[in-house]
Amino acid sequence: MPMLKLLIGCLGISGLIYLALCGWLWQRQRWLMYLPTLAIEATPDAVGLFYEEVWISVTSDQPGDQPGTLHGWWIPSEQPQSLTFLYLHGNAGNISTSFNLDRIRHLHALGAAVLMVDYRGYGLSSSPFPNEARFYEDAQAAYQFLHQQKGVDPRHLVLYGHSLGGAIAIQLASHRPQLAGLVVESSFTSMEAMATRSGYNRLFPVRWLLTQSFPSITRVQQLQVPVFYLHGLADLSVPAEMSQYLYEATASSRDLWLVPNADHNDIAILAGDEFEQRLSQFLSDHVLVNQAG
């Protein structure tokens, strides 16, 4: 009997520890998913681009949130009547990382204007720490800024999202069918699908603990804008088949480019000139042709 009581006691303590760990994971998951940095590493002039610093007001429907401010850079086009890209970056760093600056350099080289912004909690943008709903609010605020302050016609606006930014862009595009187009680089089908691939799933019921969903695989079924998916076949962060699944589920016209040997952040490096050529071809085939019509 003493041994049985000891065993029951140990099991009870183990159960409490397990529940406590589940509670910690439920509470702290955003800090595991989102990895913002505050320091600005460089500005667009580091890649030869003239820019204007912009500050965008954002309000929130979430209890306790105060009005905030997004920091961003506006890179105007040298060509009149050009397209505009709204660039939405991934879960780590901020707009000043070399990867993000290189992306806008490529987009600007297509003759387009570009707005890139940091979400709340990233770079010089205000607090609080991000969550899924705040990401969507921030993207919507950037869209409104372009439309109302810069006079950008939504029919001339293309969203570009990398990784987590792709999921944010998909959500915004699902509510804005008048947009010119959407480019989604190295993104995922849903946060649940990503979580089930993680090491946490071996020990915890992650699908029941998730508070951040990003259900892109469902949202793409309602898209009415043309979409270009691109993904590296050697991506160790997000498997390339997730872009394949998004492509197959998308209701609107779409293209898919799977880049051999490319990882999560080096598609443009490995593809070279083909990167801009593929983007230009997508714009010609699906975006500019619709505007001409």
Side-chain angles (χ1 to χ4, degrees):
M1 288 298 291
M3 289 297 296
L4 180 59
K5 290 181 179 179
L6 178 62
L7 178 60
I8 293 173
C10 290
L11 290 175
I13 293 172
S14 299
L16 290 174
I17 293 173
Y18 182 78
L19 289 175
L21 289 173
C22 287
W24 179 87
L25 191 59
W26 177 83
Q27 178 66 31
R28 300 297 297 178
Q29 62 187 265
R30 290 186 293 132
W31 282 263
L32 299 173
M33 295 175 182
Y34 314 136
L35 306 171
T37 58
L38 304 182
I40 298 298
E41 299 177 11
T43 56
D45 56 9
V47 291
L49 298 177
F50 170 81
Y51 70 98
E52 302 171 15
E53 196 166 40
V54 298
W55 301 91
I56 303 170
S57 298
V58 57
T59 57
S60 177
D61 294 329
Q62 297 186 76
D65 277 9
Q66 300 298 317
T69 304
L70 307 181
H71 172 252
W73 292 321
W74 166 249
I75 298 92
S77 172
E78 299 173 356
Q79 302 180 15
Q81 305 298 319
S82 64
L83 289 172
T84 296
F85 280 95
L86 171 55
Y87 178 79
L88 301 168
H89 66 76
N91 71 311
N94 59 48
I95 55 175
S96 72
T97 64
S98 59
F99 173 87
N100 292 324
L101 292 176
D102 186 63
R103 269 305 165 274
I104 63 164
R105 179 179 64 83
H106 285 291
L107 299 181
H108 189 263
L110 297 173
V114 185
L115 174 67
M116 59 189 315
V117 295
D118 267 325
Y119 319 111
R120 278 172 290 174
Y122 287 74
L124 301 182
S125 295
S126 64
S127 57
F129 196 83
N131 64 21
E132 183 176 2
R134 291 184 188 119
F135 283 124
Y136 299 152
E137 291 170 346
D138 295 347
Q140 173 64 21
Y143 167 85
Q144 293 291 351
F145 171 84
L146 283 171
H147 183 47
Q148 297 173 2
Q149 303 298 318
K150 292 298 182 181
V152 175
D153 188 329
R155 294 171 298 179
H156 297 161
L157 177 61
V158 179
L159 306 182
Y160 192 113
H162 172 253
S163 195
L164 177 68
I168 299 167
I170 288 171
Q171 192 274 345
L172 179 57
S174 69
H175 294 282
R176 300 289 176 180
Q178 70 274 41
L179 290 170
L182 169 64
V183 182
V184 179
E185 179 183 350
S186 305
S187 197
F188 49 84
T189 53
S190 69
M191 192 61 77
E192 179 181 333
M194 288 296 294
T196 55
R197 293 177 53 86
S198 72
Y200 293 101
N201 191 51
R202 301 188 186 97
L203 299 173
F204 303 101
V206 293
R207 63 181 303 178
W208 305 112
L209 297 174
L210 275 177
T211 61
Q212 315 292 290
S213 57
F214 298 98
S216 294
I217 193 65
T218 300
R219 288 182 171 133
V220 297
Q221 298 173 41
Q222 284 79 48
L223 287 177
Q224 298 180 44
V225 303
V227 191
F228 180 34
Y229 296 103
L230 55 157
H231 211 126
L233 285 171
D235 193 329
L236 298 178
S237 300
V238 180
E241 58 260 31
M242 287 197 174
S243 280
Q244 179 76 49
Y245 297 149
L246 290 171
Y247 169 80
E248 293 171 354
T250 298
S252 55
S253 60
R254 74 274 195 216
D255 282 342
L256 173 66
W257 180 31
L258 300 177
V259 185
N261 304 315
D263 199 349
H264 196 60
N265 293 327
D266 61 3
I267 288 178
I269 296 173
L270 291 182
D273 292 341
E274 188 179 3
F275 180 77
E276 289 182 16
Q277 293 169 4
R278 292 270 188 164
L279 284 174
S280 180
Q281 191 65 51
F282 166 72
L283 296 177
S284 298
D285 291 347
H286 297 284
V287 177
L288 300 176
V289 67
N290 291 337
Q291 294 181 357

